Short mmCIF file of all heavy atoms in Angstrom, two decimals:
data_model
loop_
_atom_site.label_atom_id
_atom_site.label_comp_id
_atom_site.label_asym_id
_atom_site.label_seq_id
_atom_site.Cartn_x
_atom_site.Cartn_y
_atom_site.Cartn_z
N MET A 1132 -11.17 -27.27 18.24
CA MET A 1132 -10.66 -26.79 16.94
C MET A 1132 -10.55 -27.94 15.95
O MET A 1132 -9.80 -28.89 16.16
CB MET A 1132 -9.29 -26.16 17.11
CG MET A 1132 -9.37 -24.77 17.74
SD MET A 1132 -8.06 -23.68 17.17
CE MET A 1132 -6.61 -24.64 17.54
N ALA A 1133 -11.30 -27.84 14.90
CA ALA A 1133 -11.26 -28.89 13.88
C ALA A 1133 -10.35 -28.46 12.73
O ALA A 1133 -10.43 -27.34 12.24
CB ALA A 1133 -12.66 -29.15 13.34
N LYS A 1134 -9.52 -29.38 12.38
CA LYS A 1134 -8.61 -29.09 11.26
C LYS A 1134 -9.34 -29.33 9.95
O LYS A 1134 -9.86 -30.41 9.71
CB LYS A 1134 -7.37 -29.98 11.33
CG LYS A 1134 -6.39 -29.52 12.39
CD LYS A 1134 -5.14 -30.39 12.39
CE LYS A 1134 -4.19 -29.98 13.50
NZ LYS A 1134 -3.04 -30.90 13.60
N LYS A 1135 -9.34 -28.32 9.14
CA LYS A 1135 -10.02 -28.46 7.84
C LYS A 1135 -9.03 -28.90 6.77
O LYS A 1135 -8.89 -30.08 6.52
CB LYS A 1135 -10.68 -27.13 7.45
CG LYS A 1135 -11.96 -26.88 8.23
CD LYS A 1135 -12.64 -25.62 7.76
CE LYS A 1135 -13.91 -25.37 8.58
NZ LYS A 1135 -14.54 -24.09 8.21
N ALA A 1136 -8.34 -27.95 6.21
CA ALA A 1136 -7.39 -28.29 5.16
C ALA A 1136 -5.98 -28.34 5.73
O ALA A 1136 -5.62 -27.52 6.58
CB ALA A 1136 -7.45 -27.27 4.04
N LYS A 1137 -5.24 -29.31 5.31
CA LYS A 1137 -3.85 -29.40 5.74
C LYS A 1137 -3.01 -28.42 4.95
O LYS A 1137 -2.97 -28.46 3.73
CB LYS A 1137 -3.32 -30.83 5.54
CG LYS A 1137 -3.77 -31.77 6.62
CD LYS A 1137 -3.04 -33.10 6.52
CE LYS A 1137 -3.45 -34.01 7.66
NZ LYS A 1137 -2.75 -35.31 7.58
N GLU A 1138 -2.36 -27.57 5.70
CA GLU A 1138 -1.52 -26.58 5.04
C GLU A 1138 -0.15 -26.57 5.69
O GLU A 1138 -0.01 -26.84 6.87
CB GLU A 1138 -2.15 -25.18 5.15
CG GLU A 1138 -3.41 -25.04 4.33
CD GLU A 1138 -3.88 -23.61 4.28
OE1 GLU A 1138 -3.69 -22.89 5.26
OE2 GLU A 1138 -4.44 -23.21 3.25
N LYS A 1139 0.80 -26.24 4.90
CA LYS A 1139 2.15 -26.14 5.45
C LYS A 1139 2.73 -24.76 5.21
O LYS A 1139 2.40 -24.11 4.21
CB LYS A 1139 3.06 -27.22 4.87
CG LYS A 1139 3.29 -27.10 3.38
CD LYS A 1139 4.35 -28.10 2.93
CE LYS A 1139 4.58 -27.99 1.43
NZ LYS A 1139 5.61 -28.92 0.97
N LEU A 1140 3.56 -24.34 6.12
CA LEU A 1140 4.21 -23.05 5.99
C LEU A 1140 5.35 -23.15 4.99
O LEU A 1140 6.20 -24.03 5.11
CB LEU A 1140 4.74 -22.61 7.35
CG LEU A 1140 5.30 -21.21 7.45
CD1 LEU A 1140 4.20 -20.17 7.30
CD2 LEU A 1140 6.00 -21.03 8.78
N VAL A 1141 5.33 -22.28 4.00
CA VAL A 1141 6.39 -22.30 2.99
C VAL A 1141 7.01 -20.92 2.86
O VAL A 1141 6.38 -19.91 3.15
CB VAL A 1141 5.86 -22.77 1.62
CG1 VAL A 1141 5.43 -24.22 1.67
CG2 VAL A 1141 4.74 -21.88 1.12
N TRP A 1142 8.23 -20.92 2.43
CA TRP A 1142 8.94 -19.66 2.20
C TRP A 1142 8.79 -19.25 0.74
O TRP A 1142 8.80 -20.10 -0.15
CB TRP A 1142 10.42 -19.83 2.51
CG TRP A 1142 10.72 -19.86 3.97
CD1 TRP A 1142 10.83 -20.99 4.74
CD2 TRP A 1142 10.92 -18.76 4.84
NE1 TRP A 1142 11.10 -20.64 6.03
CE2 TRP A 1142 11.18 -19.27 6.12
CE3 TRP A 1142 10.93 -17.37 4.65
CZ2 TRP A 1142 11.43 -18.45 7.22
CZ3 TRP A 1142 11.18 -16.56 5.75
CH2 TRP A 1142 11.41 -17.10 7.01
N LEU A 1143 8.69 -17.93 0.56
CA LEU A 1143 8.70 -17.39 -0.80
C LEU A 1143 10.06 -16.74 -1.02
O LEU A 1143 10.46 -15.84 -0.29
CB LEU A 1143 7.58 -16.38 -1.00
CG LEU A 1143 6.17 -16.98 -0.97
CD1 LEU A 1143 5.15 -15.86 -1.13
CD2 LEU A 1143 5.98 -18.00 -2.06
N GLU A 1144 10.76 -17.25 -2.01
CA GLU A 1144 12.14 -16.87 -2.25
C GLU A 1144 12.23 -15.98 -3.48
O GLU A 1144 11.68 -16.30 -4.53
CB GLU A 1144 12.92 -18.17 -2.47
CG GLU A 1144 14.41 -18.02 -2.54
CD GLU A 1144 15.04 -19.38 -2.76
OE1 GLU A 1144 14.99 -19.89 -3.90
OE2 GLU A 1144 15.58 -19.95 -1.80
N CYS A 1145 12.95 -14.88 -3.35
CA CYS A 1145 13.16 -13.97 -4.48
C CYS A 1145 13.94 -14.70 -5.56
O CYS A 1145 14.98 -15.31 -5.28
CB CYS A 1145 13.92 -12.73 -4.01
SG CYS A 1145 14.40 -11.66 -5.36
N SER A 1146 13.44 -14.66 -6.78
CA SER A 1146 14.10 -15.38 -7.87
C SER A 1146 15.34 -14.65 -8.37
O SER A 1146 16.11 -15.18 -9.14
CB SER A 1146 13.12 -15.61 -9.03
OG SER A 1146 12.68 -14.37 -9.53
N VAL A 1147 15.53 -13.41 -7.91
CA VAL A 1147 16.70 -12.64 -8.34
C VAL A 1147 17.85 -12.80 -7.34
O VAL A 1147 18.95 -13.18 -7.71
CB VAL A 1147 16.34 -11.15 -8.51
CG1 VAL A 1147 17.56 -10.33 -8.90
CG2 VAL A 1147 15.22 -11.00 -9.53
N CYS A 1148 17.59 -12.52 -6.05
CA CYS A 1148 18.68 -12.57 -5.06
C CYS A 1148 18.59 -13.80 -4.15
O CYS A 1148 19.45 -13.99 -3.30
CB CYS A 1148 18.67 -11.30 -4.23
SG CYS A 1148 17.24 -11.16 -3.15
N GLN A 1149 17.58 -14.61 -4.33
CA GLN A 1149 17.42 -15.87 -3.59
C GLN A 1149 17.13 -15.69 -2.11
O GLN A 1149 17.22 -16.64 -1.34
CB GLN A 1149 18.66 -16.78 -3.75
CG GLN A 1149 19.19 -16.91 -5.16
CD GLN A 1149 18.23 -17.64 -6.09
OE1 GLN A 1149 17.80 -18.74 -5.77
NE2 GLN A 1149 17.90 -17.03 -7.19
N ASN A 1150 16.84 -14.47 -1.70
CA ASN A 1150 16.50 -14.26 -0.30
C ASN A 1150 15.07 -14.70 -0.02
O ASN A 1150 14.18 -14.47 -0.82
CB ASN A 1150 16.66 -12.78 0.06
CG ASN A 1150 18.06 -12.44 0.52
OD1 ASN A 1150 18.50 -12.90 1.58
ND2 ASN A 1150 18.77 -11.67 -0.28
N LYS A 1151 14.90 -15.29 1.14
CA LYS A 1151 13.56 -15.73 1.55
C LYS A 1151 12.89 -14.58 2.30
O LYS A 1151 13.23 -14.30 3.44
CB LYS A 1151 13.66 -16.97 2.42
CG LYS A 1151 14.19 -18.17 1.67
CD LYS A 1151 14.26 -19.39 2.59
CE LYS A 1151 14.74 -20.61 1.84
NZ LYS A 1151 16.17 -20.52 1.49
N ASN A 1152 11.99 -13.93 1.61
CA ASN A 1152 11.41 -12.70 2.13
C ASN A 1152 10.04 -12.87 2.77
O ASN A 1152 9.66 -12.09 3.62
CB ASN A 1152 11.30 -11.67 1.00
CG ASN A 1152 12.64 -11.35 0.40
OD1 ASN A 1152 13.61 -11.15 1.11
ND2 ASN A 1152 12.72 -11.33 -0.91
N TYR A 1153 9.31 -13.86 2.35
CA TYR A 1153 7.94 -14.00 2.83
C TYR A 1153 7.63 -15.44 3.21
O TYR A 1153 8.22 -16.37 2.67
CB TYR A 1153 6.94 -13.57 1.75
CG TYR A 1153 7.05 -12.12 1.36
CD1 TYR A 1153 7.85 -11.75 0.29
CD2 TYR A 1153 6.37 -11.14 2.06
CE1 TYR A 1153 7.97 -10.42 -0.07
CE2 TYR A 1153 6.48 -9.81 1.72
CZ TYR A 1153 7.28 -9.45 0.65
OH TYR A 1153 7.39 -8.13 0.30
N THR A 1154 6.70 -15.57 4.11
CA THR A 1154 6.17 -16.90 4.41
C THR A 1154 4.70 -16.90 4.05
O THR A 1154 4.02 -15.88 4.13
CB THR A 1154 6.31 -17.26 5.90
OG1 THR A 1154 5.72 -16.24 6.68
CG2 THR A 1154 7.76 -17.46 6.28
N THR A 1155 4.21 -18.05 3.67
CA THR A 1155 2.80 -18.18 3.36
C THR A 1155 2.38 -19.62 3.62
O THR A 1155 3.21 -20.51 3.83
CB THR A 1155 2.51 -17.78 1.90
OG1 THR A 1155 1.10 -17.74 1.71
CG2 THR A 1155 3.12 -18.77 0.92
N PHE A 1156 1.09 -19.83 3.65
CA PHE A 1156 0.59 -21.19 3.81
C PHE A 1156 0.16 -21.73 2.46
O PHE A 1156 -0.56 -21.07 1.73
CB PHE A 1156 -0.59 -21.22 4.79
CG PHE A 1156 -0.14 -21.11 6.21
CD1 PHE A 1156 -0.16 -19.89 6.86
CD2 PHE A 1156 0.33 -22.23 6.90
CE1 PHE A 1156 0.28 -19.77 8.18
CE2 PHE A 1156 0.76 -22.13 8.21
CZ PHE A 1156 0.74 -20.90 8.85
N ASN A 1157 0.62 -22.92 2.15
CA ASN A 1157 0.25 -23.55 0.90
C ASN A 1157 -0.44 -24.87 1.19
O ASN A 1157 0.05 -25.65 2.00
CB ASN A 1157 1.50 -23.77 0.05
CG ASN A 1157 1.18 -24.22 -1.35
OD1 ASN A 1157 0.06 -24.06 -1.82
ND2 ASN A 1157 2.15 -24.78 -2.03
N SER A 1158 -1.54 -25.08 0.56
CA SER A 1158 -2.26 -26.33 0.76
C SER A 1158 -1.44 -27.51 0.25
O SER A 1158 -0.82 -27.45 -0.80
CB SER A 1158 -3.60 -26.27 0.03
OG SER A 1158 -4.18 -27.54 0.07
N LEU A 1159 -1.45 -28.59 1.02
CA LEU A 1159 -0.69 -29.78 0.63
C LEU A 1159 -1.30 -30.46 -0.58
O LEU A 1159 -0.67 -31.26 -1.25
CB LEU A 1159 -0.64 -30.77 1.79
CG LEU A 1159 0.21 -30.32 2.99
CD1 LEU A 1159 0.03 -31.29 4.13
CD2 LEU A 1159 1.67 -30.23 2.61
N LYS A 1160 -2.55 -30.11 -0.84
CA LYS A 1160 -3.22 -30.72 -1.99
C LYS A 1160 -2.66 -30.18 -3.30
O LYS A 1160 -2.67 -30.85 -4.32
CB LYS A 1160 -4.73 -30.44 -1.94
CG LYS A 1160 -5.44 -31.28 -0.89
CD LYS A 1160 -6.92 -30.95 -0.88
CE LYS A 1160 -7.63 -31.75 0.20
NZ LYS A 1160 -9.04 -31.37 0.30
N LYS A 1161 -2.20 -28.93 -3.23
CA LYS A 1161 -1.69 -28.31 -4.44
C LYS A 1161 -0.27 -28.78 -4.74
O LYS A 1161 0.64 -28.55 -3.96
CB LYS A 1161 -1.71 -26.78 -4.30
CG LYS A 1161 -3.11 -26.23 -4.37
CD LYS A 1161 -3.08 -24.71 -4.24
CE LYS A 1161 -4.50 -24.16 -4.19
NZ LYS A 1161 -4.49 -22.73 -3.87
N GLU A 1162 -0.13 -29.41 -5.85
CA GLU A 1162 1.20 -29.88 -6.27
C GLU A 1162 2.00 -28.74 -6.88
O GLU A 1162 3.21 -28.71 -6.80
CB GLU A 1162 1.05 -31.00 -7.32
CG GLU A 1162 0.39 -32.25 -6.76
CD GLU A 1162 1.38 -33.13 -6.01
OE1 GLU A 1162 2.50 -33.27 -6.50
OE2 GLU A 1162 1.01 -33.66 -4.96
N LYS A 1163 1.26 -27.85 -7.45
CA LYS A 1163 1.89 -26.74 -8.15
C LYS A 1163 2.56 -25.79 -7.16
O LYS A 1163 2.00 -25.48 -6.12
CB LYS A 1163 0.83 -25.98 -8.96
CG LYS A 1163 1.36 -25.33 -10.21
CD LYS A 1163 0.21 -24.70 -10.99
CE LYS A 1163 0.70 -24.02 -12.24
NZ LYS A 1163 -0.39 -23.34 -12.95
N LYS A 1164 3.73 -25.32 -7.52
CA LYS A 1164 4.44 -24.38 -6.66
C LYS A 1164 3.92 -22.97 -6.86
O LYS A 1164 3.57 -22.58 -7.96
CB LYS A 1164 5.94 -24.42 -6.95
CG LYS A 1164 6.59 -25.66 -6.37
CD LYS A 1164 8.09 -25.49 -6.34
CE LYS A 1164 8.74 -26.65 -5.60
NZ LYS A 1164 10.20 -26.45 -5.50
N LEU A 1165 3.93 -22.27 -5.75
CA LEU A 1165 3.46 -20.89 -5.80
C LEU A 1165 4.48 -19.99 -6.47
O LEU A 1165 5.68 -20.20 -6.36
CB LEU A 1165 3.23 -20.37 -4.38
CG LEU A 1165 2.08 -20.95 -3.59
CD1 LEU A 1165 2.17 -20.49 -2.15
CD2 LEU A 1165 0.76 -20.53 -4.19
N GLU A 1166 3.98 -18.99 -7.15
CA GLU A 1166 4.85 -17.96 -7.70
C GLU A 1166 4.10 -16.64 -7.65
O GLU A 1166 3.05 -16.50 -8.27
CB GLU A 1166 5.28 -18.30 -9.13
CG GLU A 1166 6.39 -17.39 -9.59
CD GLU A 1166 6.99 -17.82 -10.93
OE1 GLU A 1166 6.85 -18.99 -11.32
OE2 GLU A 1166 7.60 -16.95 -11.56
N LEU A 1167 4.64 -15.71 -6.88
CA LEU A 1167 3.96 -14.44 -6.68
C LEU A 1167 4.91 -13.28 -6.92
O LEU A 1167 6.11 -13.39 -6.66
CB LEU A 1167 3.43 -14.35 -5.25
CG LEU A 1167 2.39 -15.38 -4.83
CD1 LEU A 1167 2.23 -15.35 -3.32
CD2 LEU A 1167 1.06 -15.11 -5.49
N ASN A 1168 4.34 -12.20 -7.41
CA ASN A 1168 5.14 -10.99 -7.58
C ASN A 1168 5.09 -10.20 -6.29
O ASN A 1168 4.03 -9.74 -5.87
CB ASN A 1168 4.57 -10.17 -8.75
CG ASN A 1168 5.67 -9.70 -9.68
OD1 ASN A 1168 6.75 -10.27 -9.70
ND2 ASN A 1168 5.40 -8.68 -10.44
N LYS A 1169 6.25 -10.10 -5.63
CA LYS A 1169 6.31 -9.41 -4.34
C LYS A 1169 7.46 -8.42 -4.34
O LYS A 1169 8.41 -8.55 -5.09
CB LYS A 1169 6.55 -10.44 -3.23
CG LYS A 1169 5.41 -11.41 -3.04
CD LYS A 1169 4.53 -10.94 -1.92
CE LYS A 1169 3.65 -12.05 -1.39
NZ LYS A 1169 2.76 -11.53 -0.35
N PHE A 1170 7.34 -7.49 -3.40
CA PHE A 1170 8.42 -6.52 -3.26
C PHE A 1170 9.58 -7.14 -2.50
O PHE A 1170 9.41 -7.69 -1.42
CB PHE A 1170 7.92 -5.27 -2.54
CG PHE A 1170 8.98 -4.20 -2.41
CD1 PHE A 1170 9.26 -3.37 -3.48
CD2 PHE A 1170 9.70 -4.06 -1.24
CE1 PHE A 1170 10.24 -2.41 -3.37
CE2 PHE A 1170 10.68 -3.09 -1.12
CZ PHE A 1170 10.96 -2.26 -2.20
N CYS A 1171 10.77 -7.07 -3.09
CA CYS A 1171 11.97 -7.57 -2.43
C CYS A 1171 12.75 -6.38 -1.87
O CYS A 1171 13.11 -5.48 -2.61
CB CYS A 1171 12.83 -8.36 -3.41
SG CYS A 1171 14.37 -8.92 -2.66
N MET A 1172 12.96 -6.41 -0.57
CA MET A 1172 13.66 -5.27 0.06
C MET A 1172 15.15 -5.28 -0.27
O MET A 1172 15.82 -4.28 -0.13
CB MET A 1172 13.43 -5.30 1.58
CG MET A 1172 14.02 -6.50 2.28
SD MET A 1172 13.45 -6.60 3.99
CE MET A 1172 11.88 -7.49 3.76
N HIS A 1173 15.65 -6.43 -0.72
CA HIS A 1173 17.06 -6.52 -1.09
C HIS A 1173 17.30 -5.99 -2.51
O HIS A 1173 18.26 -5.28 -2.76
CB HIS A 1173 17.54 -7.97 -0.97
CG HIS A 1173 17.37 -8.52 0.42
ND1 HIS A 1173 18.28 -8.29 1.42
CD2 HIS A 1173 16.38 -9.26 0.96
CE1 HIS A 1173 17.86 -8.87 2.53
NE2 HIS A 1173 16.70 -9.47 2.28
N CYS A 1174 16.40 -6.35 -3.40
CA CYS A 1174 16.48 -5.84 -4.78
C CYS A 1174 15.84 -4.45 -4.89
O CYS A 1174 16.06 -3.74 -5.86
CB CYS A 1174 15.76 -6.79 -5.74
SG CYS A 1174 16.40 -8.46 -5.71
N ARG A 1175 15.07 -4.10 -3.89
CA ARG A 1175 14.35 -2.82 -3.83
C ARG A 1175 13.42 -2.65 -5.03
O ARG A 1175 13.29 -1.58 -5.60
CB ARG A 1175 15.34 -1.66 -3.72
CG ARG A 1175 16.18 -1.78 -2.46
CD ARG A 1175 17.28 -0.76 -2.44
NE ARG A 1175 16.86 0.41 -1.66
CZ ARG A 1175 17.66 1.48 -1.45
NH1 ARG A 1175 18.86 1.52 -1.94
NH2 ARG A 1175 17.25 2.48 -0.74
N LYS A 1176 12.80 -3.72 -5.40
CA LYS A 1176 11.79 -3.67 -6.47
C LYS A 1176 10.94 -4.93 -6.40
O LYS A 1176 11.25 -5.86 -5.66
CB LYS A 1176 12.46 -3.56 -7.84
CG LYS A 1176 13.35 -4.76 -8.16
CD LYS A 1176 13.96 -4.64 -9.54
CE LYS A 1176 14.82 -5.85 -9.86
NZ LYS A 1176 15.44 -5.75 -11.18
N HIS A 1177 9.91 -4.94 -7.22
CA HIS A 1177 9.06 -6.12 -7.28
C HIS A 1177 9.73 -7.18 -8.15
O HIS A 1177 10.17 -6.89 -9.25
CB HIS A 1177 7.67 -5.76 -7.84
CG HIS A 1177 6.78 -5.18 -6.80
ND1 HIS A 1177 6.81 -3.84 -6.48
CD2 HIS A 1177 5.84 -5.74 -5.99
CE1 HIS A 1177 5.92 -3.61 -5.51
NE2 HIS A 1177 5.31 -4.73 -5.21
N THR A 1178 9.78 -8.36 -7.62
CA THR A 1178 10.39 -9.48 -8.35
C THR A 1178 9.51 -10.71 -8.19
O THR A 1178 8.71 -10.79 -7.25
CB THR A 1178 11.79 -9.81 -7.80
OG1 THR A 1178 11.66 -10.21 -6.44
CG2 THR A 1178 12.76 -8.63 -7.89
N PRO A 1179 9.64 -11.68 -9.08
CA PRO A 1179 8.88 -12.93 -8.90
C PRO A 1179 9.45 -13.71 -7.71
O PRO A 1179 10.66 -13.89 -7.61
CB PRO A 1179 9.13 -13.69 -10.22
CG PRO A 1179 9.73 -12.71 -11.16
CD PRO A 1179 10.41 -11.68 -10.32
N HIS A 1180 8.58 -14.09 -6.82
CA HIS A 1180 8.97 -14.89 -5.66
C HIS A 1180 8.44 -16.30 -5.84
O HIS A 1180 7.25 -16.49 -6.03
CB HIS A 1180 8.44 -14.28 -4.38
CG HIS A 1180 9.26 -13.12 -3.89
ND1 HIS A 1180 9.38 -11.96 -4.58
CD2 HIS A 1180 10.00 -12.98 -2.75
CE1 HIS A 1180 10.16 -11.13 -3.90
NE2 HIS A 1180 10.57 -11.73 -2.80
N LYS A 1181 9.34 -17.26 -5.75
CA LYS A 1181 8.94 -18.64 -5.91
C LYS A 1181 8.95 -19.37 -4.57
O LYS A 1181 9.73 -19.04 -3.68
CB LYS A 1181 9.88 -19.36 -6.87
CG LYS A 1181 9.69 -18.90 -8.30
CD LYS A 1181 10.58 -19.67 -9.24
CE LYS A 1181 10.37 -19.22 -10.68
NZ LYS A 1181 11.25 -19.93 -11.61
N GLN A 1182 8.11 -20.36 -4.49
CA GLN A 1182 8.06 -21.16 -3.27
C GLN A 1182 9.36 -21.94 -3.11
O GLN A 1182 9.78 -22.68 -3.98
CB GLN A 1182 6.88 -22.12 -3.38
CG GLN A 1182 6.74 -23.01 -2.16
CD GLN A 1182 5.63 -24.01 -2.33
OE1 GLN A 1182 4.68 -23.77 -3.05
NE2 GLN A 1182 5.77 -25.14 -1.67
N ALA A 1183 9.99 -21.74 -1.97
CA ALA A 1183 11.22 -22.48 -1.68
C ALA A 1183 10.85 -23.83 -1.08
O ALA A 1183 9.79 -24.00 -0.49
CB ALA A 1183 12.08 -21.69 -0.73
N LYS A 1184 11.76 -24.78 -1.23
CA LYS A 1184 11.48 -26.12 -0.72
C LYS A 1184 11.69 -26.18 0.78
O LYS A 1184 12.61 -25.57 1.28
CB LYS A 1184 12.37 -27.15 -1.42
CG LYS A 1184 11.53 -28.30 -1.96
CD LYS A 1184 12.41 -29.38 -2.53
CE LYS A 1184 11.54 -30.53 -2.98
NZ LYS A 1184 12.37 -31.62 -3.47
ZN1 LIG B 2558 15.57 -9.99 -4.27
#
């Protein structure tokens, strides 16, 4: 198994309730933080999810 891109597991945190609802892989090359619109089961709606540190 050859490692291609270095990626790290990051949490996606709801920007409304701060709950960490999703995990994703983010390339270490990308300095920019991820921000995705995801369904939050705590807010029971779609909210912006930001990459937690
Ligand atoms: Zn939420």
Side-chain angles (χ1 to χ4, degrees):
M1132 285 211 306
K1134 284 182 183 174
K1135 284 184 181 176
K1137 281 190 177 180
E1138 291 189 327
K1139 64 172 180 180
L1140 187 69
V1141 294
W1142 285 94
L1143 292 178
E1144 188 180 76
C1145 173
S1146 61
V1147 178
C1148 69
Q1149 315 293 307
N1150 271 293
K1151 294 180 178 71
N1152 301 315
Y1153 298 93
T1154 54
T1155 189
F1156 284 98
N1157 189 18
S1158 172
L1159 291 172
K1160 286 179 182 176
K1161 287 181 185 172
E1162 295 278 319
K1163 210 176 179 184
K1164 285 196 173 183
L1165 291 170
E1166 191 172 339
L1167 298 166
N1168 226 21
K1169 294 263 198 183
F1170 182 80
C1171 177
M1172 65 190 85
H1173 301 277
C1174 302
R1175 299 172 96 178
K1176 62 178 181 181
H1177 279 84
T1178 62
H1180 281 64
K1181 288 183 179 179
Q1182 180 184 332
K1184 231 186 177 183

